[in-house]
Amino acid sequence: MFDNLKDSGKAWLFAIMVLALGVGFSYIAGISSTVYMFTPMLAALLMTMVLTKEGYRKEGWKKLGLHKLGLRGWPFALIVPVIPLALSYAAAWAFGLSEWRVPDKLFGFEWSAAPIVLVIVYVKSVLFESLGEEVGWRGYLLPRMVGNNERKGLLLNGLLHGVWHAPIILNTTEYHDGENVWILFPLMVLSTMFLAPVIGRLRLKTGSVWTASMMHTTHNLTWAVLAELYVNKSDAAAYVSGDMSLVVVLFYAGLTLWMWRKPAAKAVSSAVTA
């Protein structure tokens, strides 16, 4: 149907489709955040198999980055997202906005089973939930957005990722329910914009979407665990600590600027190149 579209055209068509799917899915009664996370993958499959027919060629599938594991990028994906989230909860605790409280169980399981539970949850998320997003954002869309201006493409990729969260926040109670949207939205968009150059560079340098899925999963699972261990004493805690908090925004903004300095960019590139 759109066999001769340039990459820029495919990128914008995907963006329109994934945002439309997000709005549509958000109005499904009882929709879960897990199901919503698969809308980017659905958009990528529709683009690949129906609209551009790239999926009928081997090269079309290779562009998604599913054929490489990107092993050298795994340490980065496993460690880096833990840092800003740990700092954010420590900051909220230090300012008296939250308190440390260890529950009797973790995610409904005894603490003795926590290690195996966390491994199972992590692997499942890498293979399913996080991959549902990353096949779309960093698998299909990102390589078609970077073009001759990688920095602009990375930031725009993150902007779209942030805006895509809006329907599930506005139309459901599944995600960040009860928070002030006028504070949440700017933090949400800024966090995904500044995360995008980091996770995007990891994906591009390793050639693997699995590294992006791993980094995404590390972020989400670390947030989930820390949210179990800290109890908010003030509404402000939600904006200082958490997945889209001010501390996370500042951390990734700083890391992005550091990476874009010439010497640093080379250092990061060598660290994650497969």
Side-chain angles (χ1 to χ4, degrees):
M1 186 180 296
F2 296 101
D3 296 1
N4 298 317
L5 265 185
K6 294 182 178 180
D7 277 351
S8 58
K10 293 173 185 176
W12 284 111
L13 187 57
F14 172 91
I16 293 169
M17 183 182 299
V18 74
L19 294 177
L21 286 170
V23 172
F25 271 61
S26 71
Y27 281 106
I28 297 175
I31 186 74
S32 70
S33 58
T34 298
V35 173
Y36 190 86
M37 289 175 76
F38 281 94
T39 55
M41 177 182 282
L42 177 57
L45 289 174
L46 289 172
M47 288 293 300
T48 303
M49 300 302 298
V50 179
L51 297 182
T52 66
K53 305 292 181 66
E54 293 172 284
Y56 295 94
R57 300 186 298 272
K58 186 177 179 180
E59 285 301 314
W61 287 105
K62 286 182 69 175
K63 278 188 175 182
L64 295 177
L66 291 165
H67 64 297
K68 285 187 176 182
L69 293 177
L71 294 175
R72 291 189 182 179
W74 286 20
F76 189 92
L78 285 165
I79 296 170
V80 170
V82 176
I83 300 171
L85 285 162
L87 289 174
S88 74
Y89 280 93
W93 174 82
F95 285 112
L97 302 176
S98 66
E99 63 181 11
W100 172 270
R101 188 181 300 170
V102 180
D104 294 334
K105 296 181 178 181
L106 180 67
F107 306 146
F109 294 91
E110 298 293 339
W111 279 98
S112 58
I116 188 63
V117 169
L118 291 175
V119 170
I120 291 172
V121 171
Y122 188 89
V123 172
K124 181 178 76 71
S125 185
V126 170
L127 295 176
F128 294 100
E129 292 95 339
S130 294
L131 189 66
E133 285 196 47
E134 293 304 330
V135 161
W137 298 120
R138 257 64 70 167
Y140 184 87
L141 182 61
L142 183 60
R144 291 165 176 81
M145 292 192 82
V146 289
N148 296 322
N149 193 330
E150 182 178 298
R151 294 183 182 183
K152 180 180 178 181
L154 287 165
L155 290 174
L156 186 55
N157 182 265
L159 173 64
L160 291 170
H161 187 195
V163 171
W164 166 84
H165 286 87
I168 196 170
I169 292 175
L170 293 174
N171 299 330
T172 78
T173 58
E174 281 290 305
Y175 194 59
H176 287 272
D177 185 40
E179 294 183 25
N180 185 327
V181 295
W182 297 105
I183 300 175
L184 176 62
F185 279 177
L187 287 175
M188 175 179 61
V189 172
L190 288 172
S191 67
T192 55
M193 279 184 66
F194 289 123
L195 171 64
V198 180
I199 194 171
R201 180 70 65 83
L202 180 66
R203 184 270 190 260
L204 293 174
K205 290 298 179 181
T206 61
S208 172
V209 75
W210 294 108
T211 54
S213 186
M214 287 178 65
M215 188 168 179
H216 194 142
T217 297
T218 302
H219 177 92
N220 286 353
L221 187 55
T222 301
W223 171 42
V225 171
L226 290 173
E228 290 283 304
L229 299 176
Y230 287 87
V231 177
N232 291 348
K233 295 169 60 179
S234 166
D235 290 342
Y239 312 111
V240 175
S241 60
D243 66 327
M244 296 174 177
S245 61
L246 179 61
V247 174
V248 170
V249 169
L250 292 175
F251 176 86
Y252 282 115
L255 186 54
T256 291
L257 292 174
W258 181 81
M259 288 174 62
W260 282 349
R261 292 175 55 205
K262 196 170 183 180
K266 289 181 179 179
V268 172
S269 296
S270 63
V272 301
T273 300

